[in-house]
Amino acid sequence: AAAAALRLLPLGKTQSPESLLDIAARKVAEKWPFQQVEERFERIPEPVQRRIVYWSFPRSEKEICMYSSFNTGAEDPAATPGVATA
């Protein structure tokens, strides 16, 4: 079965399996904000930190737009303390 699956891929285009580090970092990033991970564990190796941060960012354009939009929840800018009005 494995040999048959390999024949379906173009020559020279084999895929390597995802690393255990990436799988674990992705699962951590799905469950907890990075700040909580930093606070919970004393020492996190730098390569592990980098992969968790990498997987913490949204992947789809829709998610990026959703998280990058700034909305304070106030309908009237004058109702928001510290916001100057013209």
Side-chain angles (χ1 to χ4, degrees):
L6 285 176
R7 279 185 256 143
L8 296 175
L9 293 173
L11 292 176
K13 297 286 183 179
T14 59
Q15 295 179 348
S16 58
E18 194 172 17
S19 72
L20 183 57
L21 172 59
D22 271 332
I23 294 169
R26 189 178 69 238
K27 291 299 180 185
V28 167
E30 288 173 359
K31 299 279 184 190
W32 298 287
F34 186 71
Q35 182 179 355
Q36 285 184 355
V37 174
E38 282 185 311
E39 291 170 357
R40 171 99 162 87
F41 301 100
E42 288 182 26
R43 288 183 277 238
I44 304 169
E46 191 172 331
V48 176
Q49 288 181 28
R50 279 190 296 227
R51 296 316 293 169
I52 294 171
V53 169
Y54 172 81
W55 288 109
S56 294
F57 285 93
R59 300 278 161 242
S60 72
E61 186 175 342
K62 181 181 175 183
E63 288 177 328
I64 291 169
C65 289
M66 181 177 71
Y67 288 113
S68 66
S69 66
F70 180 72
N71 184 1
T72 62
E75 291 180 25
D76 181 15
T80 306
V83 175
T85 58

